[in-house]
Amino acid sequence: MNPSTIARVVVTGATGNVGTSLVRVLSSDPGVGSVLGLARRRPGLDLPGVEWAELDLSLEGDGPRLAQYVADADAVVHLAWRFGPTHDPVETWRTNVLGSVRVFDAVAAARVPVLVYASSVGAYSPGPEGGAPVSEAWPTHGWPGAAYTREKAYLERVLDTFERDHPLTRVVRMRPAFLFKEESASEQRRIFAGRFFPGQLMRPELLPLLPEFEGLRFQVLHTKDAADAYRRALLRDVRGPFNLAADPVIDGATLGELLHARPVKVPAGAVRGALSAAWRLRLVPASPGLFDALRHLPLLATERARQELGWEPAASSLEALEAFLRGVRAGAGDATDPLAGHPIG
């Protein structure tokens, strides 16, 4: 499967964590002619070969403009996603599910040759006993207790139907582990810990102890490595799902070494109870359902991406986490509304 060229790529959610890395890597790739980035608010990024347009996928009235933007595309990368408000799953459903369906319908109507969709490890059903890594053939029924995982799993079924009905469109589903980079730190802190969480607390000298609970085992990937995989999927004649993750697997001991903190075992129920209380009081945006999903996520086998995309992560999972922690402490961000930083005074 040799690399080729592609004239025009449309990217939804182009101002987020993955989007900003992807438009940068596409703008510098001689195999890509031009990029149109779609976002709810126009960013302050000026990149060669990249144009911007404002679009809100949750609004049915923006459908005609979406159709116009997609009409001359040779490929569409659908990244747009809304993580909150977690107390209002109807609101996230409007953007994430109904908005995605609008994108898929526009791709079908315009007969766009390539659709690359940002799925997630969260689309997978709980992993097997023993924790062996799963391939892309593992069931994608998600975790029922969290809106994020329900929505990701639902869209897998929507794409099953799309592929059946539109076989001439090459569909790729990227299923990455948790994605981190320094510039996304402020956004991810707001999404999961809340905008008032002080990033200065994420310093080793202030965290002598680290709570460790059963099920604390997950994978991480640097966002720039994920963007490279997306680029390769666009330019190679590949189809279907691809797992993306870097080594090593992150667990309590690994986090303890990274933060220079001593892991202390605590019951998962106690952690969930504290998070649930804080979430009900609207002190944190991360829901207890997301905590449950985290504890049941499978580990990902990435052989298919390495073999068919010729992909290899440049950064280890530890390097990705270190970059994220630097960003949290510094209030790092980027010149887009979602990634706006919060300088530490």
Side-chain angles (χ1 to χ4, degrees):
M1 285 169 255
N2 297 320
S4 61
T5 61
I6 197 161
R8 186 165 180 79
V9 181
V10 174
V11 181
T12 73
T15 57
N17 179 14
V18 180
T20 49
S21 289
L22 180 59
V23 295
R24 283 186 168 100
V25 74
L26 293 180
S27 74
S28 62
D29 192 312
V32 176
S34 67
V35 177
L36 173 62
L38 303 180
R40 286 189 295 168
R41 287 171 287 276
R42 188 179 298 268
L45 294 179
D46 186 13
L47 301 170
V50 178
E51 307 166 62
W52 299 98
E54 295 183 1
L55 185 77
D56 189 340
L57 292 178
S58 69
L59 301 178
E60 187 174 356
D62 273 6
R65 287 199 297 129
L66 172 63
Q68 174 189 344
Y69 295 142
V70 169
D72 62 346
D74 298 289
V76 171
V77 182
H78 180 41
L79 304 174
W81 197 265
R82 188 169 182 176
F83 288 91
T86 57
H87 290 85
D88 187 0
V90 173
E91 184 66 26
T92 59
W93 185 270
R94 288 194 186 102
T95 297
N96 300 336
V97 174
L98 300 184
S100 293
V101 170
R102 290 186 184 105
V103 172
F104 303 156
D105 286 347
V107 167
R111 299 183 180 178
V112 179
V114 181
L115 170 63
V116 180
Y117 163 67
S119 188
S120 165
V121 61
Y124 281 117
S125 302
E129 292 292 333
V134 304
S135 75
E136 290 82 357
W138 193 253
T140 51
H141 302 308
W143 177 256
Y148 175 83
T149 48
R150 286 197 305 270
E151 291 162 359
K152 288 294 187 185
Y154 184 90
L155 287 171
E156 291 279 349
R157 303 289 75 74
V158 172
L159 280 176
D160 290 343
T161 302
F162 181 96
E163 287 184 295
R164 182 200 66 196
D165 294 344
H166 306 285
L168 296 183
T169 296
R170 179 169 67 85
V171 178
V172 180
R173 314 182 198 195
M174 307 302 264
R175 296 177 185 157
F178 294 105
L179 299 177
F180 294 111
K181 62 181 179 181
E182 186 168 348
E183 299 87 347
S184 70
S186 291
E187 178 198 33
Q188 289 171 319
R189 184 203 65 192
R190 291 190 293 266
I191 288 173
F192 298 109
R195 63 178 62 249
F196 301 113
F197 178 82
Q200 302 96 316
L201 289 181
M202 298 299 291
R203 297 183 182 277
E205 64 270 19
L206 299 179
L207 290 171
L209 302 176
L210 177 72
E212 181 182 11
F213 51 87
E214 183 182 358
L216 180 59
R217 194 163 179 255
F218 59 94
Q219 290 165 296
V220 165
L221 180 66
H222 198 290
T223 307
K224 293 179 182 177
D225 285 326
D228 179 56
Y230 275 88
R231 179 186 66 83
R232 292 169 182 266
L234 280 168
L235 297 175
R236 295 183 178 228
D237 185 19
V238 295
R239 292 173 177 260
F242 289 92
N243 292 342
L244 303 175
D247 295 322
V249 173
I250 304 299
D251 57 16
T254 308
L255 282 175
E257 291 178 10
L258 184 66
L259 294 169
H260 305 289
R262 180 167 63 88
V264 177
K265 291 189 179 298
V266 297
V271 177
R272 190 190 191 283
L275 175 62
S276 181
W279 181 74
R280 287 197 304 271
L281 292 171
R282 300 180 183 267
L283 299 178
V284 297
S287 71
L290 277 176
F291 175 79
D292 296 334
L294 168 65
R295 295 182 57 228
H296 292 89
L297 291 178
L299 299 181
L300 303 177
T302 59
E303 286 81 7
R304 183 169 193 246
R306 296 170 192 265
Q307 293 171 5
E308 297 193 26
L309 297 179
W311 173 82
E312 190 76 28
S316 70
S317 57
L318 292 176
E319 290 169 330
L321 277 177
E322 286 169 347
F324 168 73
L325 290 172
R326 283 196 307 272
V328 170
R329 294 162 189 155
D334 205 345
T336 73
D337 193 78
L339 300 189
H342 183 70
I344 303 300

